Amino acid sequence: MERRAKVELFEQIRREYEFGIGTIRGVADQLGVHRRMVRQALASAEPPARKQVERRRPVIGPLRPFIDTILEADRSAPRKQRHTAHRIYQRIRTELSEHSVAEVTVRQYVRERKRELGWSLRTTCVPQSYSPGQEGQVDWYEAWAELGGEQVKLQVFSLRSMVSGAAFHRAYQRATQQAFLEAHEHAFHYFGGVLRLLRYDNLKSAVKQILRGHRREETTRFIAFRSHWRFASDF
């Protein structure tokens, strides 16, 4: 079970215990789970982390001391003089040619080892305050509606202002690019102006191709639309 599903199950267990049956055995029978899981959920809303099994590494194992020595020496070296994973792989081929190892294996171990040493940890800062008109978030979601007596699945455009949390929603039968751009215009009228920055999930209506890193090849029509309304976008 993936972590998100387990967190949702823990929430259901906690609610059932507090507002429903009220006993560990009753909750376990009601939801079809082990009583041990019920106790875990009552102890914490966060499921316990899975124990990491130490994997055997017959190929990289003999090379670990060599790689660790290089990485330890790099800790005090200038940034531009530190070894890349590719450079370490080249040194293994030259200095330890009796060991046969793939470069991808070396890269994986170097990445994991740097993470353990705290090299790869980047501080991610999420703004908690915004100025009026500064930023909004755009996405599609699915919803069901009764139209002409029938249940119809609709695609709903959503644009949320980050400063107020207010959101504009508009439903379409299909999430086409025309609907995507039209919904923007209605949202701008709803908010009384254009937000300076709009953040998107990688929507096909705006993104033609996902490139390396944070680079995106945007559709020509979206670029022209963004230029017309003079807002910035981020994906």
Side-chain angles (χ1 to χ4, degrees), residues 75 79 98 112 117 154 169 176 200 208 228 234:
R75 291 170 69 93
R79 181 175 295 275
E98 67 275 13
E112 293 175 359
L117 295 172
L154 301 176
H169 305 271
T176 63
Y200 300 83
K208 183 177 181 181
H228 172 78
D234 192 22

Side-chain angles (χ1 to χ4, degrees), residues 61-140:
L63 300 172
R64 291 175 63 175
F66 179 78
I67 298 174
D68 290 350
T69 299
I70 294 175
L71 295 179
E72 287 293 338
D74 280 356
R75 291 170 69 93
S76 57
R79 181 175 295 275
K80 291 186 178 181
Q81 297 180 15
R82 295 175 182 175
H83 288 71
T84 62
H86 178 66
R87 175 58 182 147
I88 293 176
Y89 171 71
Q90 289 180 324
R91 287 192 56 180
I92 291 174
R93 293 187 62 185
T94 303
E95 302 174 33
L96 301 174
S97 57
E98 67 275 13
H99 292 279
S100 178
V101 61
E103 182 173 356
V104 64
T105 304
V106 175
R107 287 182 178 275
Q108 181 179 356
Y109 177 74
V110 170
R111 182 170 58 251
E112 293 175 359
R113 188 69 181 122
K114 283 185 175 181
R115 187 182 298 114
E116 293 172 358
L117 295 172
W119 286 20
S120 301
L121 300 180
R122 297 182 179 178
T123 302
T124 302
C125 301
V126 179
Q128 298 300 307
S129 60
Y130 303 85
S131 59
Q134 175 185 346
E135 183 176 322
Q137 291 185 350
V138 178
D139 208 344
W140 289 95

